[in-house]
Amino acid sequence: MASILDHPPQAVRDDLDRLNLLLDAVPPKSTGDNLLMATWNIRGFGSLTEKWESQDGDSPRRDLHAAVLIAAVLDRFDVIAVQEVKANLRALRHVLKKLGPDYGFLMTDVTYGDPGNDERLAYIYDSRRLKPSGLACELVVPEDLDTPYATPANAFQRQFVRTPYAVSFNASGKTFVLVTLHIVYGEKGADRVAELTAIAKWLRNWAESMDDYGQNLICMGDFNIDRHGDPLWQAFTSTGLVTAPGLEKVPRTLSSSVEKPDLASFFDQIAWFERRRDGKPYLSLAFRQSGGLNFQGVVLTHLTRTQLSWRISDHYPLWVEFGLE
């Protein structure tokens, strides 16, 4: 059935042409050869104004123009971890309609309460290229994990603000588990250290047990790490997590990529454990390359930075390519 999204006005087509030139930096999907993963915090990804161009007084300001551009980005990847999906799914539904029937999605329920910001975590995936392989779970803290988040006295009272979401997939016979998360921001950086420490320990324990089954564990999302080398970074990497090579100088947000680029900001990450304690590799997937997509100045160029953040996002997508050989 034809959709209004299939017949965008000229302004949208022009933006798509410019965006596709930017997206040419992402390797093409090659059957049986590669796997393309991405993470993207899409700001307040909830409702949508069903007009091609929203106007002053419309709420939300995200519109069909923005939905088509978001879909064009997602279409370049095999699986995308998305943070800040809200209770209202209207924008997601429009994006999925534009992507077409070959794309599926999995997501958590809404995390209620002020710290959780009424958010969901989600995966959008190309079902022609990979399939969910059975596991889908939210991570809770066991009482025997040695962190401030779990002791026998408070194990069920003190959990992650937005529980990390893990899903297993299979592509060309390779099984991998993705864990996506959105770390609590808090009032100051120190508010995030305990959660990052607990998650790093949880992931290490899980990676050790999963290794017996030849699976790959990769985490991605918005870790709200301020700086490379700061206490948040140290907590994140304390159990051996390493970030995808090539992302060290990739801007994460709209505000970190203009005027004086703040390339030390490490909010968003893609990471994994590289070596087991016995020195053998964890991943059977072969890392090839990584990158980010800085769409600022490419699409919707008539908007201010703040306006652009509410149409598309205030974060850029990050991506990695793995070989399947």
Side-chain angles (χ1 to χ4, degrees):
M1 182 182 296
S3 164
I4 185 176
L5 299 176
D6 297 326
H7 304 284
Q10 187 62 48
V12 181
R13 297 198 297 272
D14 290 343
D15 265 352
L16 280 172
D17 289 342
R18 289 187 289 269
L19 181 61
N20 284 327
L21 290 175
L22 176 68
L23 289 167
D24 283 344
V26 179
K29 298 178 182 180
S30 180
T31 302
D33 175 67
N34 69 350
L35 183 63
L36 295 160
M37 304 180 187
T39 181
W40 195 6
N41 180 332
I42 303 180
R43 186 176 193 180
F45 196 34
S47 190
L48 174 141
T49 292
E50 295 189 23
K51 299 178 180 177
W52 280 112
E53 302 293 337
S54 62
Q55 307 295 322
D56 290 345
D58 287 332
S59 181
R61 296 310 296 269
R62 183 169 282 129
D63 50 28
L64 297 177
H65 188 152
V68 168
L69 298 179
I70 290 170
V73 172
L74 300 178
D75 190 38
R76 290 300 180 103
F77 302 102
D78 296 317
V79 58
I80 311 96
V82 181
Q83 301 85 49
E84 285 203 32
V85 179
K86 307 291 275 186
N88 186 314
L89 299 176
R90 181 173 294 168
L92 175 62
R93 289 194 184 100
H94 278 77
V95 166
L96 288 169
K97 185 179 296 184
K98 179 60 180 173
L99 286 170
D102 291 320
Y103 282 81
F105 71 99
L106 296 164
M107 64 184 178
T108 66
D109 197 359
V110 176
T111 303
Y112 293 105
D114 290 340
N117 197 32
D118 293 343
E119 293 179 20
R120 307 174 191 264
L121 296 167
Y123 295 99
I124 298 171
Y125 62 94
D126 185 342
S127 63
R128 297 165 298 184
R129 301 263 296 163
L130 50 82
K131 303 289 185 185
S133 61
L135 173 72
C137 64
E138 295 181 64
L139 310 188
V140 296
V141 186
E143 66 180 34
D144 58 348
L145 190 64
D146 181 22
T147 75
Y149 271 67
T151 66
N154 71 1
F156 291 100
Q157 287 74 42
R158 187 77 184 274
Q159 293 290 333
F160 303 126
V161 170
R162 292 175 283 242
T163 51
Y165 186 39
V167 173
S168 63
F169 294 92
N170 185 282
S172 298
K174 296 281 189 179
T175 299
F176 57 96
V177 175
L178 300 184
V179 181
T180 189
L181 58 153
H182 188 185
I183 293 293
V184 62
Y185 193 79
E187 295 182 1
K188 55 186 182 301
D191 295 340
R192 301 166 228 161
V193 170
E195 202 169 73
L196 279 167
T197 301
I199 286 170
K201 289 184 176 182
W202 205 111
L203 290 173
R204 183 72 196 206
N205 287 349
W206 200 13
E208 292 285 347
S209 63
M210 282 177 51
D211 185 62
D212 295 337
Y213 302 96
Q215 296 177 335
N216 299 273
L217 179 66
I218 300 166
C219 63
M220 52 179 62
D222 183 352
F223 294 82
N224 276 318
I225 295 171
D226 289 330
R227 295 287 182 274
H228 185 285
D230 72 3
L232 299 173
W233 172 263
Q234 292 168 12
F236 172 64
T237 58
S238 60
T239 62
L241 279 168
V242 296
T243 56
L247 295 181
E248 298 86 357
K249 299 296 183 181
V250 173
R252 268 55 173 177
T253 63
L254 269 64
S255 60
S256 68
S257 61
V258 296
E259 298 162 359
K260 295 181 180 180
D262 179 12
L263 299 182
S265 175
F266 265 38
F267 294 131
D268 305 282
Q269 290 293 348
I270 302 173
W272 53 81
F273 295 101
E274 197 163 66
R275 296 276 169 183
R276 301 188 320 195
R277 291 188 174 96
D278 61 8
K280 294 180 181 179
Y282 268 116
L283 294 184
S284 61
L285 297 170
F287 171 79
R288 289 184 178 175
Q289 58 183 308
S290 65
L293 293 170
N294 182 344
F295 51 78
Q296 191 170 189
V298 176
V299 297
L300 298 171
T301 54
H302 61 289
L303 300 180
T304 67
R305 188 190 310 166
T306 299
Q307 290 170 337
L308 180 63
S309 77
W310 286 111
R311 299 310 203 286
I312 307 295
S313 183
D314 54 343
H315 288 245
Y316 298 131
L318 298 182
W319 60 268
V320 293
E321 180 192 23
F322 289 102
L324 292 173
E325 66 275 2

